[in-house]
Amino acid sequence: MLTVIKEIKGKGLPLRGDDIDTDRIIPARFLISTTFEGLGDSAFCDERFSPDGTPTNHPMNDKKFNGSTIIITNNNFGCGSSREHAPQAIKRAGYNLILAESFAEIFYGNSSVLGLVCITLDKNNIETILKSIETNPDTEISMDIEKSELSVAGTVYKVELKDALKSSLLNGSYDTIAELASNKDEVKTFEKNLPY
Amino acid sequence: MGKNLFQKVWERHTIKKLSNGQTQLFIGLHLLHEVTSPQAFSMLRELGLKVAYPERSFATHDHIIPTDNLTRPFADNIAEEMMQAIEKNTSDFGIKLFGIKDNSYGVIHIVGPEEGLTQPGMTIACGDSHTATHGAFGAIAFGVGTSQVRDILATQTISINPFKVRRINFNGKLNKGVYAKDLILFLISKLGVNGGLGYAYEFAGNAIDEMSMEGRMTICNMAIEGGARVGYMNPDEKTFAYIKDKPYAPKGADYDKALTYWKSIASDSDAQYDDIIDIDVSTIEPMTTWGITPEMAINIDENVPQPTTPLMQEALDYIKVDAGKSMIGFPIHVAFIGSCTNGRIEDFRLAASILKGKKISPNVQGLAVPGSVIVKKQAEDEGLDKIFKDAGFEWREPGCSMCLAMNSDRLVGDQVAASSSNRNFKGRQGSSTGRTILLNPAMVAVAAIEGKIADVRKYL
């Protein structure tokens, strides 16, 4: 069974930018596979490396953010494709919490089922947090799921954590299959009465 | 108070409320392709689960399939492995595959409608964000991730929250050279790439009523580019006529029964909406993108805007275009006509009407990739393939091809593609520095002829 998630702690990765799409998170050529294995190494690959292979100044290449487990980014994160490969790559790269101004819907759903927690906060507070992490990369961040509170260097922010996700994290049911399958008799009756 | 189509279809497919507060929603039709399904089948095997309703799932292969040489095994070993996986998975679990073996494959969102699988009042899901395409028939259709593909295979249901509904009225008379693609690009340019977050879009108005089913599919297809996971139109006589006599359409008395249901789920005249937007289509001209999101689109008569955000500046730098200048004259290297957005018969007819008797620029590689075997055959019966080939286009086998470049159809370096597809994201077409200009198919044909972005209206 899945584990209950009550608290997430770690260092932050400042990933500035709006509309960071799924092709940027994981380019389509890495989807040529029948598994999700190894995707973590390819997360943000084309953002992190120039065509000739030299590393860019992407924050994931910056030593001072080594070991970070929390992504802080801007608006409409994860827009584009429905590929679950995108949250799979992020999770496998070691991240378990993403703070953004907003998320694209399919990405949000795909992340939630994996226990990759997506929370939102307004632009100004995100800017404050980004600056704080850029200045002090070792800043400890902690997220209290029950209270929907994010603590960054002593400041506590009330973040938006959607009810459905919160309850499923707290009772360990964020992977939906067990509950869906438990209703199979109701589904059977329902299916017989469908007009098609 | 009346209800809209979304509300009616949602209620008709609700099993119950789950402990997380979300709806357990029944999925009437599940579509599968080779990229987002193999992991789902692996999870089923690991959990020892069966496919609950295999007769409600249909598969094809489209993303990785080559469009030049279909000899098996494919030159790309992993692509071959993915093909074998979808063949084995569908065979093991008793799911119909529209495959290469019986020559019935194509882009999943083109195959569904042309087989008559897509019908009004259905809930349709697929591990692909462009699933809203099927909404053109009055279905509630949306993309899902691989874990949800697993959920649907195992239970035929998913856990999901309902959407708000925004009605978008496209009224007025279309200008010359303006097609469905321009309408949706215009809408996204006005509302933004996340303007539709949390919404299902109901497209309506006389411009939609007068539009072909192909055009309606183009519009619904790109709802997700504006942030809306669902887009749909109310079904009408055109919808019913399209479905009738298709292989999987209900027949005889079943058809009449289905028709009653289809008509019953249309939005009531007094239906309520969370938001309503009116667009006068006579204000829309042929559109072109200039940047790295579909929102960065302008009328062809407009100039590239001055940057007001870091993202806009990033886009100008990436595309290598100057603010304040027209996109007309911007050189291109590849012209791509195809994809689930504009890979249907009407799109090839339109492009062929421009290309007839002309040659494309020697500096341009022209790629015509029909959306399915059926589209390809139809085009060939009409002699369209000859027009494309005579003009200098390569007439390829069906597939997603250069829309997302998961096969060998890829941009090289920072080449520019004039593309009838749906996304101009950085690196989308197979090169991490490749550049994409999204256009309607007629504008792509004109760009191919001139070797640069041009105004289609002078060819009409």
Side-chain angles (χ1 to χ4, degrees):
Chain A
M1 278 315 288
L2 289 166
T3 41
V4 167
I5 300 177
K6 288 184 171 170
E7 190 178 41
I8 298 169
K9 279 184 171 177
K11 282 168 56 180
L13 178 81
L15 195 61
R16 286 181 180 273
D18 291 336
D19 305 329
I20 294 179
D21 61 68
T22 49
D23 279 82
R24 292 169 78 163
I25 297 170
I26 186 81
R29 64 181 184 278
F30 296 109
L31 276 55
I32 307 175
S33 170
T34 54
T35 74
F36 291 128
E37 280 163 34
L39 281 178
D41 295 336
S42 311
F44 296 99
C45 185
D46 290 346
E47 308 273 295
R48 293 167 59 197
F49 301 96
S50 310
D52 65 6
T54 51
T56 64
N57 62 358
H58 192 273
M60 281 174 82
N61 294 337
D62 192 331
K63 276 190 191 136
K64 62 179 186 272
F65 301 119
N66 275 0
S68 58
T69 56
I70 297 168
I71 291 175
I72 296 106
T73 184
N74 296 109
N75 201 24
N76 198 30
F77 187 77
C79 61
S81 148
S82 68
R83 59 187 72 159
E84 189 172 307
H85 305 68
Q88 288 275 1
I90 289 173
K91 188 139 200 289
R92 286 161 192 266
Y95 297 92
N96 45 32
L97 179 68
I98 309 176
L99 169 68
E101 291 168 42
S102 70
F103 292 91
E105 246 165 71
I106 307 180
F107 178 87
Y108 177 87
N110 288 345
S111 299
S112 300
V113 78
L114 302 177
L116 172 62
V117 182
C118 296
I119 53 173
T120 57
L121 190 60
D122 66 275
K123 189 180 178 67
N124 289 340
N125 277 317
I126 285 189
E127 182 58 31
T128 308
I129 296 172
L130 281 168
K131 278 192 179 133
S132 145
I133 291 164
E134 283 161 349
T135 318
N136 296 304
D138 291 328
T139 301
E140 185 71 19
I141 302 174
S142 70
M143 173 69 198
D144 184 323
I145 300 293
E146 184 129 43
K147 292 184 182 161
S148 297
E149 285 178 358
L150 185 80
S151 164
V152 185
T155 308
V156 176
Y157 300 87
K158 198 82 185 169
V159 297
E160 193 195 340
L161 169 61
K162 288 189 180 164
D163 291 341
L165 178 57
K166 179 190 280 195
S167 64
S168 67
L169 292 169
L170 292 174
N171 66 19
S173 67
Y174 47 89
D175 187 346
T176 38
I177 190 151
E179 189 176 359
L180 292 174
S182 71
N183 299 328
K184 73 172 180 210
D185 292 340
E186 283 163 83
V187 175
K188 204 169 178 179
T189 311
F190 179 94
E191 199 265 351
K192 284 206 182 100
N193 294 319
L194 206 63
Y196 64 93
Chain B
M1 192 197 304
K3 287 180 181 165
N4 59 49
L5 181 146
F6 176 84
Q7 291 164 334
K8 293 185 193 182
V9 175
W10 189 272
E11 282 169 20
R12 188 64 192 81
H13 291 80
T14 295
I15 306 276
K16 69 190 304 185
K17 200 169 190 178
L18 295 167
S19 64
N20 62 9
Q22 292 192 320
T23 303
Q24 181 169 11
L25 189 76
F26 189 85
I27 301 300
L29 175 65
H30 182 209
L31 302 169
L32 295 147
H33 63 78
E34 77 281 21
V35 177
T36 56
S37 70
Q39 302 87 346
F41 284 108
S42 299
M43 291 186 244
L44 277 193
R45 289 193 176 96
E46 277 166 30
L47 295 167
L49 295 169
K50 289 190 174 134
V51 175
Y53 301 90
E55 69 283 3
R56 288 187 180 273
S57 285
F58 294 84
T60 191
H61 38 64
D62 48 14
H63 284 60
I64 55 107
I65 195 157
T67 59
D68 46 7
N69 186 355
L70 291 171
T71 314
R72 301 285 295 272
F74 294 151
D76 181 338
N77 293 335
I78 310 176
E80 175 61 30
E81 193 186 308
M82 293 174 81
M83 278 295 282
Q84 289 180 13
I86 189 96
E87 287 167 346
K88 179 172 169 27
N89 288 331
T90 50
S91 161
D92 284 0
F93 289 96
I95 292 169
K96 163 75 183 171
L97 172 70
F98 296 99
I100 200 169
K101 282 185 179 154
D102 56 2
N103 202 29
S104 61
Y105 71 100
V107 180
I108 187 78
H109 308 310
I110 294 183
V111 170
E114 69 191 9
E115 291 290 343
L117 291 166
T118 304
Q119 295 167 21
M122 284 182 162
T123 45
I124 303 178
C126 174
D128 192 283
S129 63
H130 292 111
T131 306
T133 311
H134 306 268
F137 292 80
I140 298 304
F142 48 82
V144 295
T146 297
S147 294
Q148 289 186 310
V149 171
R150 173 206 60 184
D151 290 355
I152 298 166
L153 288 170
T155 72
Q156 207 61 38
T157 65
I158 59 168
S159 170
I160 188 168
N161 271 328
F163 303 89
K164 292 180 282 183
V165 183
R166 174 180 285 152
R167 181 167 162 119
I168 295 162
N169 295 312
F170 283 111
N171 281 310
K173 191 173 179 306
L174 284 183
N175 287 315
K176 198 168 78 163
V178 173
Y179 305 95
K181 180 70 159 286
D182 303 297
L183 267 54
I184 189 68
L185 279 174
F186 179 85
L187 180 77
I188 298 165
S189 75
K190 296 299 171 202
L191 300 186
V193 283
N194 64 346
L197 209 64
Y199 281 98
Y201 280 175
E202 175 173 310
F203 299 107
N206 74 283
I208 301 295
D209 295 342
E210 291 156 18
M211 194 176 278
S212 66
M213 290 311 296
E214 285 84 355
R216 294 179 189 180
M217 283 188 257
T218 298
I219 290 190
C220 289
N221 173 272
M222 287 188 68
I224 188 69
E225 265 41 90
R229 199 169 171 185
V230 167
Y232 68 86
M233 283 105 177
N234 281 295
D236 61 8
E237 291 305 323
K238 237 181 247 183
T239 319
F240 308 142
Y242 183 101
I243 298 170
K244 203 173 191 332
D245 302 326
K246 291 278 189 291
Y248 285 84
K251 304 285 187 302
D254 286 343
Y255 180 86
D256 296 334
K257 214 172 112 194
L259 196 60
T260 308
Y261 173 62
W262 297 346
K263 288 180 174 170
S264 76
I265 51 85
S267 294
D268 297 325
S269 54
D270 59 345
Q272 296 291 302
Y273 297 91
D274 298 285
D275 192 24
I276 298 176
I277 287 179
D278 291 294
I279 290 173
D280 176 1
V281 298
S282 70
T283 62
I284 304 175
E285 305 296 342
M287 300 287 291
T288 176
T289 61
W290 59 267
I292 55 173
T293 77
E295 171 185 336
M296 296 173 176
I298 49 176
N299 279 346
I300 191 68
D301 289 334
E302 289 177 319
N303 291 332
V304 175
Q306 296 296 331
T308 53
T309 65
L311 188 68
M312 286 175 82
Q313 186 59 53
E314 187 181 341
L316 292 172
D317 296 342
Y318 183 86
I319 301 291
K320 298 174 192 164
V321 63
D322 295 323
K325 288 207 172 149
S326 170
M327 284 302 289
I328 292 175
F330 193 76
I332 69 148
H333 311 97
V334 175
F336 172 63
I337 298 178
S339 84
C340 56
T341 308
N342 282 124
R344 284 170 283 269
I345 187 65
E346 187 180 272
D347 303 309
F348 291 95
R349 286 181 189 142
L350 174 61
S353 72
I354 304 278
L355 291 169
K356 195 168 187 179
K358 299 201 172 59
K359 296 277 180 205
I360 65 172
S361 161
N363 304 323
V364 170
Q365 180 193 17
L367 271 183
V369 185
S372 69
V373 168
I374 291 177
V375 171
K376 181 166 183 266
K377 279 187 183 155
Q378 175 71 30
E380 289 171 356
D381 287 349
E382 296 178 20
L384 304 183
D385 59 321
K386 194 168 179 316
I387 295 174
F388 276 93
K389 284 187 268 192
D390 288 349
F393 263 82
E394 296 167 37
W395 183 252
R396 295 290 191 90
E397 300 298 325
C400 297
S401 181
M402 207 189 266
C403 174
L404 83 171
M406 284 189 69
N407 63 3
S408 58
D409 305 335
R410 296 177 179 190
L411 293 181
V412 177
D414 68 351
Q415 275 186 326
V416 176
S419 183
S420 75
S421 56
N422 43 56
R423 290 192 177 131
N424 52 345
F425 296 157
K426 279 176 152 185
R428 171 74 179 180
Q429 293 189 290
S431 161
S432 62
T433 50
R435 296 172 282 170
T436 303
I437 312 291
L438 300 178
L439 302 162
N440 75 44
M443 287 281 281
V444 175
V446 165
I449 292 166
E450 298 207 4
K452 55 192 192 234
I453 304 297
D455 190 336
V456 67
R457 290 172 294 192
K458 64 182 177 184
Y459 286 78
L460 299 174

